[in-house]
Amino acid sequence: MASNLSNGSENTLPYKCEEIIGNATVCKPPVWPQIKSTSIFLAGSIEMGKAVDWQSAVTNALSYLPITVLNPRRDDWDNSWEQDISNAQFKEQVDWEMDHLSKADVIALFLQPGTMSPISLMELGMHAADGKMVVCCPPGYWRRGNVQVVCQRYGIPLVETQEELIEHAMKMLEEKIADKTKGTE
């Protein structure tokens, strides 16, 4: 179960995610949105730009849905930022990710072979028991066995391709949207 603890310094910027793709609103740090629709967090390989931009492909595929996409791939990321709590930009990024992973209705996690993605593995561990995750871990990912065991233990759907990740995320989102619609009738 995810912690509902806030970092105590959540930004109060208005809901101003400016990127709209189809019916989807895309939010990236440093914007702290008020999430007003069913949401998905795109967790997984980035490695400060080493990984492919898989988040754009997933966003485009899901854009027919009226959702909020929480994409941690920050447009203004600077690789020179010291990864230490004393660095305000770095801390803001980590806080944004942790808060929005907890708030999201669905978490889609992609682990790209050729990357290590230690933060993504940590996020898998932090949210494995939440019941809202789908994981894509293709053959060749360096810790695939560990990921398989965690997914099996917690009943997390585990797929091998980006297309399967999109398909599972789509179904999960459609179910969440239907549940929310039933609740407002």
Side-chain angles (χ1 to χ4, degrees):
M1 189 163 152
S3 170
N4 290 325
L5 296 176
S6 174
N7 65 33
S9 63
E10 184 170 323
N11 198 321
T12 57
L13 290 174
Y15 183 80
K16 64 170 197 160
C17 300
E18 297 170 359
E19 187 175 3
I20 305 294
I21 299 175
N23 292 319
T25 301
V26 182
C27 302
K28 296 179 179 181
V31 175
W32 290 74
Q34 296 172 5
I35 301 169
K36 297 182 178 182
S37 60
T38 301
S39 61
I40 183 168
F41 188 100
L42 304 180
S45 300
I46 295 177
E47 291 208 12
M48 299 194 288
K50 180 180 178 184
V52 297
D53 183 8
W54 62 272
Q55 294 91 343
S56 291
V58 171
T59 298
N60 288 333
L62 299 175
S63 67
Y64 74 96
L65 293 168
I67 59 173
T68 299
V69 177
L70 301 163
N71 182 354
R73 189 181 281 264
R74 187 176 183 140
D75 292 331
D76 65 347
W77 180 260
D78 182 342
N79 285 335
S80 71
W81 289 346
E82 182 180 3
Q83 293 195 22
D84 188 87
I85 196 168
S86 66
N87 180 302
Q89 292 99 340
F90 173 75
K91 183 177 183 315
E92 174 185 57
Q93 177 75 24
V94 174
D95 283 340
W96 189 96
E97 291 181 25
M98 290 193 321
D99 286 355
H100 291 91
L101 279 159
S102 293
K103 291 177 183 178
D105 295 301
V106 173
I107 299 171
L109 175 66
F110 176 73
L111 298 164
Q112 180 181 319
T115 67
M116 296 183 79
S117 306
I119 303 308
S120 301
L121 292 174
M122 180 179 65
E123 292 167 345
L124 172 60
M126 289 172 65
H127 295 280
D130 292 355
K132 62 180 184 178
M133 184 177 276
V134 57
V135 174
C136 179
C137 188
Y141 181 71
W142 78 297
R143 288 291 185 242
R144 186 166 190 260
N146 296 82
V147 173
Q148 290 172 316
V149 171
V150 170
C151 289
Q152 181 182 51
R153 175 166 288 201
Y154 289 96
I156 299 169
L158 177 63
V159 300
E160 294 185 353
T161 68
Q162 186 173 296
E163 292 76 21
E164 292 173 304
L165 178 69
I166 290 167
E167 182 181 316
H168 277 270
M170 192 179 305
K171 287 177 186 172
M172 293 170 75
L173 287 163
E174 287 172 346
E175 288 173 10
K176 298 283 185 182
I177 291 167
D179 289 347
K180 286 184 180 183
T181 303
K182 286 178 190 173
T184 61
E185 292 177 350

